[in-house]
Amino acid sequence: MGPVEASLLSAIKERGCIHLSLIDPEKFPGRLSKSLEDLESWGTAAIMVGGSTLDGTVKKIKELTDLPVILFPNGPAGVSRFADAIFFMSLLNSSSPRFLILAQAKGAPSVKRFKLEPIPLGYLVVGDSKTAVSSVGRANRIPYSKPELAAAYALAAQYLGMRFVYLEAGSGAEHPVDTSMVEKVSSDLTIPVIVGGGIRTPDQARALAKAGASAIVTGTLLEQQGPGPVKSIVSAMRRA
Ligand code: 1GP
């Protein structure tokens, strides 16, 4: 296990549930420096950088914060040498081999060459509404009414040696992951469960933390509503 994963696990052990902030630097013109400073002071555990990230944007984030920077790639082009770690993930409920293993095979030599810390993660797209990730990733979405199906996939991920499971409702999802699904998945697993997509309020974050989420990811909120709501979410989670 590498240092970033160890720091996430130790923060989870200490706090119960941590906050991860997903950043698209293109959407923070002129505000990136202040946003990173805010996130660090509130106690966000790490910055996730999504998309087909260019080296320049990751480098810029690294210059502006001491928080670990973890890549959250949507394909081989999302591997940057300037990050600390990468969620090395497979979209387990995709119907396309591309998202299951082909993109990973293409990106793996770069992860090795850049000496990035790979953090093996099983990624599951869940929920009742169509989101960009479910269409692009050709996901057979697991509906909130089937928590036992999500738990079966998640358990398979754990048995395959993945060290985190991410329940993804999709960026900007109307409804965040259902707490009953989080409860079922986290109680069946011994590895941490990350939950993201559509989380907008401290109450939602608190409920997910109480249901057993080890990490909550927010992205759109900071971009669209500024620092206030994210600050409330991070502090609500610390209290939960
Ligand atoms: C997307 O789960 C993340 O991968 C974050 O979603 O943008 O809705 O916060 P939001």
Side-chain angles (χ1 to χ4, degrees):
M1 185 194 304
V4 175
E5 185 176 349
S7 80
L8 294 181
L9 292 184
S10 112
I12 290 168
K13 196 170 171 196
E14 185 195 320
R15 303 180 206 165
C17 185
I18 58 173
H19 177 255
L20 304 174
S21 193
L22 176 62
I23 282 195
D24 178 350
E26 304 307 319
K27 297 187 179 152
F28 286 84
R31 286 197 291 127
L32 184 61
S33 167
K34 176 76 173 86
S35 297
L36 289 167
E37 199 180 295
D38 284 346
L39 289 164
E40 200 167 339
S41 72
W42 300 333
T44 290
I47 303 297
M48 289 163 58
V49 186
S52 300
T53 313
L54 300 171
D55 281 345
T57 56
V58 177
K59 204 172 166 196
K60 190 168 167 195
I61 292 174
K62 280 296 295 172
E63 282 164 10
L64 293 169
T65 182
D66 290 330
L67 289 170
V69 175
I70 306 173
L71 299 171
F72 183 56
N74 59 8
V79 184
S80 164
R81 71 182 74 225
F82 296 107
D84 298 299
I86 179 167
F87 278 135
F88 202 82
M89 53 205 253
S90 174
L91 205 179
L92 298 174
N93 56 334
S94 175
S95 59
S96 163
R98 175 174 165 206
F99 296 99
L100 288 164
I101 190 62
L102 296 182
Q104 294 80 347
K106 209 166 174 189
S110 305
V111 172
K112 184 173 168 68
R113 195 167 63 250
F114 301 155
K115 295 189 172 62
L116 282 172
E117 177 185 334
I119 303 178
L121 178 147
Y123 191 50
L124 287 173
V125 176
V126 301
D128 304 306
S129 42
K130 205 169 172 181
T131 55
V133 67
S134 70
S135 327
V136 174
R138 310 259 174 88
N140 298 311
R141 270 178 290 116
I142 303 175
Y144 293 144
S145 58
K146 293 194 172 167
E148 68 295 335
L149 183 59
Y153 271 90
L155 208 48
Q158 178 177 311
Y159 292 161
L160 283 165
M162 292 167 173
R163 297 200 290 265
F164 288 81
V165 159
Y166 191 135
L167 296 179
E168 172 70 90
S171 188
E174 204 176 326
H175 303 287
V177 182
D178 207 80
T179 50
S180 59
M181 184 175 272
V182 176
E183 250 167 47
K184 173 66 181 157
V185 172
S186 62
S187 63
D188 280 6
L189 262 57
T190 54
I191 56 173
V193 177
I194 302 173
V195 180
I199 300 167
R200 297 178 182 87
T201 68
D203 281 351
Q204 289 170 335
R206 202 179 295 115
L208 291 164
K210 284 193 170 161
S214 293
I216 301 283
V217 181
T218 62
T220 315
L221 198 60
L222 188 61
E223 289 162 17
Q224 292 187 349
Q225 295 185 33
V230 180
K231 184 179 183 183
S232 319
I233 283 180
V234 184
S235 49
M237 283 168 45
R238 296 199 77 151
R239 284 198 301 277

